[in-house]
Amino acid sequence: MKSETGKKYLTTLLSVLAAIAVICSIHYVAYGNHENGFLKIGFVYVGDASTAYTSNFMKAQTEIEKLYAENVETTARYNVSEDSVDAVLEELVDAGCGLIFTTSYGYGEKTKECAEQHPDVQFCQATCSNANEDPLLPNYHTFMGSIYQGKYLCGVVAGMKLKELIAEGRITPEQAKIGYVGAYPSAEVISDYTAFLLGARTEVPDAVMTVKYANTWTNYHLEKKLAKELIDEGCVVISQETDTSGPAAACEESKSSQEVYYVSYNESMRDIAPTTYLIGTRFNWAPYMTAATQAVLEGKDIEECVEATVHGNDAGAGFEQEWVQLLELNAYSAAEGTEERIEELVKGFKEDSVQVFYGDYTGTNPDDPSDTIDLREEYHESENCSAPTFHYVLDEVITIQ
């Protein structure tokens, strides 16, 4: 009798231990699909090293490889179209990746679908805002830097240059025109060029902006053509929300009798436009991506390990956590006092004391003219999610062509 009871107890104990082992293995797999502290990481890129946007992600990948050299193996796929990303994601899952970074807004929907199908893999999607939408998935995360801060500061630098040109009689206040080559009329692009103009207008209240959309992120010749058109229309400062050096080349090669200056995005273009380049801003993806890697290696929730503003499974930050950085300042062409002004504003952003989307302005949603905004009440960008949400074109001061 005692023997039978002992067998039952032993059987029950073994069953419990087996159940615990299964639960533990599921938990272990759910945070990275790695063994013995080793993790395979996949990266999905919309471009390659020739595009500034993707190049910044690649810098973060390199940082991960340096920091966790003995604990990670990385693999990357380049120039992945939004239509083919689902097949690439499945390929990376099959290759044993326990953490996958996807880097283009257009990947978001399919990446989340893949995450739902593979709960044992962690997916981190950049520049998207669907992590906190149904279905809520513990293994799907979104992240983005508050690049509007860098754009605003670059606008101030551009405004200081315009102010200098006006003071020296080289242009009139009415000629303080800014040209902007944008990819698409998305909230990301609209938010950034609005921040840029508002920064410029702190220095030159008469400054206005003309925007031309390329409807693509990477077309060198088209971007250059649009920038040239803006120069021919009298724009003194050119900037962009696209990925090639086309606008920089247009500025440096300009034959216009009017001076032209250039502000870059994601990569310094000083080597391409040495006499016209002023400054630029870029995303620094390394703080998030290294923290996410560390979290998965340690079996922790990613959002608990990231130094950022966190909303659910979404994380974002700006200058205060180095998620946004300024590119080199060209002292050759920048206005006097620019460096000191930069230091003042960066400090202000870190202290959360700079108002960007604020002033005596009204704006209209280009997709719905009945949807308007009055910026006499400040609009707090990225307040509820990391991705930009400001999508109003400022009346009278911004023209869309």
Side-chain angles (χ1 to χ4, degrees):
M1 195 70 169
K2 288 182 179 180
S3 177
E4 289 298 320
T5 302
K7 288 180 180 179
K8 290 180 180 180
Y9 281 142
L10 180 59
T11 301
T12 302
L13 177 60
L14 290 174
S15 299
V16 170
L17 291 174
I20 292 173
V22 170
I23 292 171
C24 289
S25 66
I26 291 173
H27 174 79
Y28 189 71
V29 169
Y31 285 93
N33 193 26
H34 56 91
E35 297 178 359
N36 301 320
F38 184 81
L39 174 66
K40 190 169 185 178
I41 308 174
F43 299 83
V44 184
Y45 296 132
V46 70
D48 53 36
S50 67
T51 58
Y53 176 77
T54 295
S55 178
N56 279 314
F57 282 106
M58 293 172 65
K59 290 175 183 176
Q61 179 182 345
T62 300
E63 186 69 16
I64 289 171
E65 292 166 350
K66 289 180 180 177
L67 286 174
Y68 307 104
E70 298 179 359
N71 301 100
V72 303
E73 175 187 341
T74 66
T75 181
R77 301 294 182 270
Y78 302 94
N79 300 306
V80 177
S81 69
E82 295 169 0
D83 293 335
S84 62
V85 68
D86 46 352
V88 172
L89 289 170
E90 290 295 338
E91 177 187 336
L92 291 173
V93 171
D94 291 343
C97 292
L99 172 61
I100 297 175
F101 292 105
T102 48
T103 60
S104 174
Y105 176 88
Y107 295 161
E109 183 178 344
K110 291 183 178 179
T111 300
K112 190 168 186 179
E113 290 174 359
C114 190
E116 189 171 17
Q117 296 165 7
H118 301 282
D120 56 335
V121 178
Q122 295 292 316
F123 293 82
C124 296
Q125 166 71 47
T127 78
C128 209
S129 58
N130 61 344
N132 295 325
E133 299 173 0
D134 289 331
L136 300 177
L137 306 175
N139 65 320
Y140 180 75
H141 317 263
T142 51
F143 64 102
M144 188 173 183
S146 301
I147 197 67
Y148 75 92
Q149 296 180 358
K151 288 286 186 174
Y152 177 84
L153 211 159
C154 285
V156 172
V157 173
M160 292 182 69
K161 186 63 183 182
L162 290 171
K163 187 176 182 178
E164 179 184 76
L165 295 174
I166 293 170
E168 295 176 355
R170 292 148 71 183
I171 66 170
T172 66
E174 293 74 27
Q175 292 176 308
K177 296 180 62 177
I178 297 169
Y180 204 96
V181 179
Y184 297 95
S186 63
E188 176 183 351
V189 175
I190 294 172
S191 174
D192 286 352
Y193 68 59
T194 303
F196 188 95
L197 178 62
L198 291 176
R201 284 175 69 89
T202 64
E203 302 294 325
V204 181
D206 293 316
V208 295
M209 174 180 281
T210 299
V211 178
K212 290 179 180 285
Y213 291 117
N215 293 307
T216 177
W217 284 101
T218 52
N219 186 321
Y220 173 89
H221 296 290
L222 177 58
E223 294 168 45
K224 185 177 181 180
K225 174 178 177 290
L226 295 178
K228 185 178 184 304
E229 290 174 359
L230 289 165
I231 294 169
D232 292 342
E233 291 171 15
C235 291
V236 181
V237 173
I238 301 293
S239 192
Q240 69 184 100
E241 192 92 356
T242 50
D243 287 344
T244 81
S245 60
C251 290
E252 195 68 15
E253 297 169 11
S254 174
K255 305 300 183 185
S256 172
S257 58
Q258 177 58 62
E259 294 177 65
V260 178
Y261 293 92
Y262 169 74
V263 177
S264 72
Y265 181 48
N266 272 323
E267 182 179 21
S268 170
M269 295 292 176
R270 189 170 180 175
D271 57 336
I272 294 172
T275 66
T276 57
Y277 168 82
L278 289 172
I279 197 170
T281 188
R282 81 174 190 101
F283 288 105
N284 177 22
W285 302 106
Y288 178 89
M289 295 171 74
T290 55
T293 299
Q294 183 71 35
V296 175
L297 282 168
E298 296 179 355
K300 297 178 179 179
D301 290 327
I302 289 175
E303 284 69 32
E304 291 181 0
C305 300
V306 174
E307 294 184 3
T309 299
V310 172
H311 298 282
N313 272 22
D314 176 73
F319 281 114
E320 76 282 3
Q321 298 295 344
E322 301 292 332
W323 286 37
V324 173
Q325 295 180 332
L326 290 177
L327 297 164
E328 63 177 328
L329 175 70
N330 187 358
Y332 172 83
S333 55
E336 185 177 351
T338 297
E339 190 170 354
E340 293 78 10
R341 184 74 171 124
I342 287 172
E343 292 176 359
E344 175 189 340
L345 282 170
V346 169
K347 181 181 178 183
F349 275 117
K350 290 180 177 180
E351 296 174 349
D352 195 27
S353 62
V354 180
Q355 293 177 298
V356 175
F357 296 92
Y358 177 74
D360 190 13
Y361 302 100
T362 58
T364 304
N365 181 348
D367 296 323
D368 181 4
S370 66
D371 180 15
T372 62
I373 192 170
D374 188 336
L375 289 185
R376 286 177 294 183
E377 180 179 348
E378 183 181 6
Y379 185 93
H380 296 278
E381 183 62 288
S382 302
E383 184 175 37
N384 299 310
C385 67
S386 64
T389 55
F390 187 87
H391 58 284
Y392 301 91
V393 177
L394 297 188
D395 301 322
E396 300 180 358
V397 296
I398 295 180
T399 300
I400 309 298
Q401 289 188 345

